[in-house]
Amino acid sequence: MLYISSRSKTDSFTSYRTLCDDRAPDGGVFIPYKLPDVSDQLRLLKNRSFAENIAYIFNLFFPCKLTPRDVEICVGKNPLRITEMSHRLIMAE
């Protein structure tokens, strides 16, 4: 995935560069050039574990091949629960 600076949209940066530097060379923050389409995956979030969701989201933005087990080692097994409140609202508790 490529990233751009919030101040200048002319240069692009790799995900490795965004992890190494806290700011773009012009002082802006890194933002994804294009967000991945996850609309078909949103309903599945409530059925997956926290670790599966975090691994899925991180792997969309960074080429790290993170596994749910990696997340569990770092933050624990169930630090929060995702609950569907209505057909359009999902909340993290």
Side-chain angles (χ1 to χ4, degrees):
M1 174 173 283
L2 291 176
Y3 294 81
I4 56 175
S5 171
S6 59
R7 291 189 179 172
S8 169
K9 313 241 183 320
T10 57
D11 295 329
S12 61
F13 305 94
T14 63
S15 56
Y16 178 79
R17 173 77 184 268
T18 65
L19 293 173
C20 292
D21 298 334
D22 60 344
R23 297 271 181 185
D26 61 4
V29 295
F30 294 111
I31 55 175
Y33 178 73
K34 182 179 178 185
L35 290 174
D37 182 19
V38 295
S39 57
D40 57 335
Q41 296 289 321
L42 290 178
R43 284 240 173 260
L44 299 175
L45 291 178
K46 69 177 183 152
N47 298 326
R48 294 183 191 156
S49 70
F50 174 80
E52 289 172 320
N53 287 332
I54 294 302
Y56 171 75
I57 292 167
F58 265 72
N59 291 331
L60 285 175
F61 291 94
F62 302 103
C64 56
K65 295 185 175 56
L66 195 66
T67 67
R69 180 73 179 133
D70 297 329
V71 175
E72 287 177 2
I73 290 170
C74 292
V75 298
K77 203 163 194 153
N78 293 309
L80 63 91
R81 184 170 58 107
I82 296 177
T83 306
E84 184 173 357
M85 297 179 67
S86 70
H87 71 285
R88 297 188 67 160
L89 181 64
I90 296 175
M91 178 182 83
E93 296 179 290

